Amino acid sequence: MANKKITLQENEIPTHWYNILADMPNKPLPPLHPGTKEPIGPEALAPLFPMELIKQEVSTEKWIAIPDEVRELYKIWRPTPLYRAYNLEKVLGTPAKIYYKYEGVSPAGSHKPNTAIPQAYYNKMQGVKRIVTETGAGQWGSALSFACNLLDMKCEVFMVKVSYDGKPYRKMMMNTWGAKVYSSPTTQTEAGRKILAEDPNSPGSLGIAISEAIEIAAQDENTKYALGSVLNHVLLHQTVVGQEAVLQMEKAGDFPDIIIAPFGGGSNFAGLTFPFLRFNFEKGKKIRCIASEPASCPKLTRGVFRYDFGDSVGMTPLLPMFTLGHNFVPQAIHAGGLRYHGAGVIVSQLLKDKLIEARAHHQLETFDAAVLFAKAEGIIPAPEAGHGIATVIQEAKRCKEEGISKTILFNLCGHGHFDMQAYDDYFAGKLTRHDLSDADIQASLAKLTTPTIPQ
Ligand SMILES: *Cc1c(COP(=O)(O)O)cnc(C)c1O
C-alpha cells in the first residue's frame, strides 16, 4: 500500500496564485452599475476594497506573485495534507481511487484563511486600520478575525442574529482573536435601524448584515469591507489549494480523472479545480470537475444565467451569474450551509461553457455521506463538505457498477466541530427532505428585473 498521507515541505507552498481568467476561452461579461446598468470600471470598487485587490479582481495576468509576508503566514498551517481515502474505498467496495485535500487543518477550520490573510495584508499595506464584514454561520468571520489579529488590524463582524444566538462558539472564537462581533441587525447603522423599526425582533439575514458592513466601510476612509467568496480575487487566492494538490498527486504517482468540491459561492471549488483545469486548457486533458450544491439552493443546476445582485438588498454591482434570484431564501430546515443565491462570475461562465459540471444533493443524502466518511476516515466533515462527499460516493459507486477504476479527488474544505448541532438534528431525525418545486424557483426568478443575457 502506498502512503496514506502525502505531505509537502514549507518551501513547496506556491509562490504565485493562478489566474484562470488568462486561460478561459470566453471571458466573463463586465459588471454593471446597479443604477445606470452601464458597465463599471474597477475604480467603482475603491470605496470598499484596497487597490491591490481591485487590480487582482480585473487582472488577466496568468500568475500573480504571493507576497513573502503572506507566504510566511501561510506556513502556520500550509502546506495542507492530501490523503488517500483507502478506508472509504474499502467501505464502498469501489475500484476507484479516492483522494482528498484537507483544508480543515487551518486555525479557523476551513479554507477561508487562504484569502483572509492576503485580504488583511493588502488592506494593511494601503494604510487601512479596520476591516468590517458580515458572517452567517461564522466561518468567514472567524477566518478574517484570525487574519486581522495576525496582521495587527481591527476587525468587526456583523453576525446574523439567529447564528449569533444559536452558534455562540464561533462568536467566542472571533472574540478570542480580538474581533468585535455584533448581532445584526444593530442600531449602529441606518440599514439596521430601519429593519429594527419595522421588526424589533428581526432574526437578521446575510443581506442585512452585508448592508450594515458596507455602510460602515463606506463612511470611513480608514475602514474597508471584505468578502469571503464569489469575487475573482477570492477565488484567485484559493488556488494555493489546487497547486499544492497537483504536486501531491504527482508524488502519489497519480492524476485525477474527476475532481469534486462543494459549492457555496465557488471559492473552495475554484481553489482545488482551477490549477487542474489549467491542464485541460494547456494540455488537452479531460479532467471532469463537478460542483456539489444543495438541492434546497440549486443555483447551478436549476438557476438561470443572467445579471443579478451579489447581495439580497440590491446594493452591489450587477454580476453575470447563475442565480436563483437575489431574494431567494432556502428553507429554514436546510442545515447544510451553502445558502447563497448566486455563483461567482468566473465559475458561472465556465459552467455556461460546459467546461465544468454541477450536481445537487438533498440534505439527508449529504449527512448520510458525511457520517459514512467520518466513520471510514475519522475526520468529521463540515456539513458543506458533505455535499462533495455525496457526489464522490455516487461516482465511486458508478465505477463499481461499470467495473472501471477512476481517480477521484475532492476538497474536504473544513471540519464540522462547530456544526455538531446540525449532526445532532440529523441523528434525532429532525432533518427532512424538502423538494423545492419549479413553482418556488419560478416565483423567485419572476421578481428579477435585472438585465438578461442572450443565451
Ligand atoms: C464558506 C464555506 C463553504 C462555501 O463557500 P465557497 O466559497 O463556495 O467555498 C464551503 N465549505 C466551508 C467549510 C466553508 O466555510
Side-chain angles (χ1 to χ4, degrees), residues 62 211 382 397:
K62 185 155 172 163
S211 306
K397 285 188 174 162

Side-chain angles (χ1 to χ4, degrees), residues 18 68 110 200 204 224 243-244 260 267 320 331 347 373:
Y18 167 60
D68 286 342
S110 76
K224 298 276 181 209
Q243 291 183 72
E244 286 179 8
I260 294 164
S267 79
Q331 289 290 308
V347 200
F373 180 85

Side-chain angles (χ1 to χ4, degrees), residues 431-453:
L431 300 188
T432 51
R433 178 181 164 134
H434 166 73
D435 286 297
L436 186 63
S437 69
D438 285 333
D440 290 338
I441 295 177
Q442 286 316 319
S444 175
L445 291 175
K447 289 188 200 135
L448 281 182
T449 55
T450 54
T452 53
I453 299 169

Side-chain angles (χ1 to χ4, degrees), residues 109-112 139 228-230 262-269 338 382 384-385 413-414:
S110 76
H111 63 286
K112 288 200 172 72
Q139 284 275 19
S229 185
V230 178
F263 194 100
S267 79
N268 90 83
F269 174 83
L338 311 176
E384 291 88 349
C413 52

Side-chain angles (χ1 to χ4, degrees), residues 39 48 53 69 128 131 148 152 155 182 194 238 264-265 273 278-279 296 342 353 374 389 396 417 430 433 445:
L48 294 183
L53 291 176
E69 205 167 336
V128 173
I131 305 182
C148 285
D152 204 15
C155 180
Y182 309 118
K194 183 162 166 274
Q238 292 295 347
T273 61
R278 180 163 83 84
F279 289 84
S296 44
D353 292 341
I389 299 168
H417 300 177
K430 288 186 195 156
R433 178 181 164 134
L445 291 175

Side-chain angles (χ1 to χ4, degrees), residues 42-43 45-46 49-59 233:
E43 65 291 341
L45 298 171
F49 302 104
M51 223 40 229
E52 276 310 308
L53 291 176
I54 296 172
K55 279 192 210 154
Q56 291 179 1
E57 188 63 24
V58 296
S59 171
H233 68 267

